[in-house]
Amino acid sequence: MKNHLVIFAKAPRFGRAKRRLATDIGMVGAARFQRLAVDATVRRLAVDSRWDTLLATTGGPTRWPSGVARMRQPVGDLGRRMDQTIKAFGPGPVVIIGSDIPDITPEHIAKAFAALGSHDAVFGPADDGGFWLVGVRRRPVYPDLFHTVRWSTRHALADTIVNLGARFNCALLETLIDIDDAAALNRWLAGRDNGP
């Protein structure tokens, strides 16, 4: 069975990408961040032969970046889009990530797929209460993860884990920062300044 990695991203269109970040740093800065983040994520992860990578975009057609297979995200809220994307694949585990996690590495993805060998789901917690990665094994059945999730709040990960119920188990990866607003960007920049 194939491992499937899906990178969720908005097309880096002026005024449409990274709206919360744009409120803080302006539309030009947010669109530039989106373009650089998607490009870096694809370059870092799509070349790894341990999984098939697909870029799932919303916000209009785009041919950028090159070198990666792509699809349009289904319609609906974030939960519906992720649910329908997961269901679109043939047999094998599916991992979905965002495109705004600057510290993500191929080893994070490898650990997620390894965790799905013995868990029904895997999450990469974000420091704001959400998650930067969700993955499901999809066998023998697939849990309904995304109903009644309070998206863009500190409850998003906890709500999603509650949806697993007692029937399914999950693994957690390390906590990373996803860049949704200037506060997250500043936390990440501060961590780089204090890092090794």
Side-chain angles (χ1 to χ4, degrees), residues 86-122:
I86 289 168
K87 290 176 179 174
F89 288 92
V94 175
V95 166
I96 296 176
I97 61 168
S99 59
D100 55 0
I101 308 102
D103 290 331
I104 197 167
T105 67
E107 287 316 302
H108 290 114
I109 306 304
K111 287 178 183 177
F113 283 119
L116 291 173
S118 57
H119 295 84
D120 300 300
V122 60

Side-chain angles (χ1 to χ4, degrees), residues 20 78-79 82 123-126 128-134 145-164 178 180:
R20 284 191 285 164
L78 179 60
M82 288 194 294
F123 298 97
D128 61 2
F131 50 90
W132 54 269
L133 177 147
V134 58
L145 288 175
F146 305 118
H147 68 280
T148 66
V149 172
R150 291 170 281 181
W151 298 111
S152 300
T153 73
R154 60 185 173 84
H155 307 288
L157 176 58
D159 290 348
T160 307
I161 290 174
V162 165
N163 287 336
L164 283 171
D178 63 339
D180 292 323

Side-chain angles (χ1 to χ4, degrees), residues 13-169:
R13 305 240 187 267
F14 185 77
R16 294 188 177 186
K18 304 302 293 177
R19 289 182 183 165
R20 284 191 285 164
L21 184 60
T23 300
D24 297 327
I25 68 169
M27 290 185 285
V28 172
R32 182 175 185 276
F33 174 86
Q34 176 71 359
R35 179 173 287 277
L36 292 172
V38 172
D39 189 55
T41 302
V42 168
R43 277 186 293 115
R44 198 175 305 136
L45 302 177
V47 296
D48 201 302
S49 62
R50 293 175 285 182
W51 48 79
D52 288 341
T53 304
L54 194 71
L55 179 65
T57 59
T58 185
T62 178
R63 294 178 182 163
W64 166 92
S66 61
V68 64
R70 63 193 66 236
M71 66 177 279
R72 292 191 70 165
Q73 290 181 26
V75 297
D77 70 10
L78 179 60
R80 177 169 169 70
R81 294 193 320 257
M82 288 194 294
D83 183 65
Q84 293 302 309
T85 297
I86 289 168
K87 290 176 179 174
F89 288 92
V94 175
V95 166
I96 296 176
I97 61 168
S99 59
D100 55 0
I101 308 102
D103 290 331
I104 197 167
T105 67
E107 287 316 302
H108 290 114
I109 306 304
K111 287 178 183 177
F113 283 119
L116 291 173
S118 57
H119 295 84
D120 300 300
V122 60
F123 298 97
D127 73 332
D128 61 2
F131 50 90
W132 54 269
L133 177 147
V134 58
V136 290
R137 183 166 47 177
R138 301 189 316 147
R139 63 178 194 267
V141 292
Y142 163 60
D144 183 10
L145 288 175
F146 305 118
H147 68 280
T148 66
V149 172
R150 291 170 281 181
W151 298 111
S152 300
T153 73
R154 60 185 173 84
H155 307 288
L157 176 58
D159 290 348
T160 307
I161 290 174
V162 165
N163 287 336
L164 283 171
R167 183 176 177 189
F168 301 100
N169 64 358

